[in-house]
Amino acid sequence: MSVSLQKGQKVSLVGPGGGALTRVRMGLGWDAAVKRGLFGRRRPQPIDLDASCLLFDASGNLTDAVWFRQLRSKDGAVRHTGDNLTGEGEGDDESIIVDLAALPAGIAQLVFTVNSFTGQGFSQIVNAFCRLVDETTGEELARYDLSETGPHTAQIMAKVSRDGQGWSMTAIGATATGRTFQHLLPEVTAHL
């Protein structure tokens, strides 16, 4: 059963029967807001949002990043499925798959961000969400609505953290400005 998260809310991630999760997918979906064009015709503007996964150690040091220019982590435990340049279509527009069991023990937190590579603000985006799915069962575990509109071009969506022997997800939902994850690092580290 999926949990609809609010900003700052944390949920423990467990698999079927209460066991530890082994593989999860962070899905990002969005649609472009419809604009009035020539002669009053309504048309959506393509918007290129990019999902990224930043891997941090227990000291808060960035050890790796998975994004549209590096689709796989150095250890192979995190994989981006590819870049969607428009947001067209239903469901997840971009996905990042994480093999939690294969992550090195030194990785303490994964932070998921989204950036408007083309520089459009979130006021031009509708129906944006991120969700965490159990890759083993296909069941949606948690969903966070990214509906905060404004001139910001990025959001720090959520983090997945080691929580004892398991993992937990915290919805962050912090707005930021930047076309790639590198521009967000000062804001990201404030949420570790």
Side-chain angles (χ1 to χ4, degrees):
M1 179 171 139
S2 180
V3 174
S4 182
L5 296 176
Q6 302 299 316
K7 188 184 282 192
Q9 188 176 3
K10 180 178 175 180
V11 62
S12 182
L13 301 176
V14 293
L21 288 175
T22 56
R23 290 175 49 90
V24 294
R25 175 173 37 95
M26 179 63 76
L28 167 67
W30 75 92
D31 294 313
V34 176
K35 295 213 170 218
R36 287 199 182 273
L38 191 60
F39 305 115
R41 297 178 70 197
R42 299 170 70 81
R43 59 186 176 85
Q45 299 285 337
I47 295 179
D48 180 10
L49 292 186
D50 294 315
S52 302
C53 178
L54 312 178
L55 291 77
F56 291 91
D57 64 18
S59 298
N61 298 310
L62 180 66
T63 63
D64 204 353
V66 175
W67 59 309
F68 73 91
R69 290 190 178 149
Q70 180 181 314
L71 297 177
R72 186 176 297 275
S73 61
K74 295 170 193 151
D75 56 34
V78 182
R79 182 177 54 88
H80 196 299
T81 60
D83 192 15
N84 180 318
L85 303 176
T86 64
E88 291 181 6
E90 296 299 315
D92 299 339
D93 294 311
E94 291 194 9
S95 293
I96 298 175
I97 299 169
V98 181
D99 185 343
L100 295 169
L103 279 172
I107 300 299
Q109 297 184 71
L110 307 171
V111 178
F112 294 90
T113 64
V114 58
N115 301 75
S116 172
F117 187 72
T118 47
Q120 291 133 316
F122 270 67
S123 59
Q124 298 177 47
I125 300 163
V126 295
N127 305 322
F129 65 88
C130 70
R131 67 189 193 122
L132 196 68
V133 176
D134 181 343
E135 272 293 283
T136 306
T137 65
E139 178 183 353
E140 180 178 288
L141 302 168
R143 176 179 286 258
Y144 179 62
D145 179 24
L146 303 171
S147 62
E148 189 169 337
T149 65
H152 58 280
T153 58
Q155 283 199 27
I156 303 163
M157 296 186 295
K159 69 178 175 180
V160 173
S161 308
R162 286 193 193 269
D163 195 7
Q165 296 298 320
W167 294 87
S168 63
M169 177 180 168
T170 304
I172 297 172
T175 62
T177 301
R179 293 180 51 200
T180 64
F181 78 85
Q182 292 98 331
H183 299 122
L184 307 181
L185 287 176
E187 288 92 347
V188 168
T189 55
H191 295 282
L192 297 179

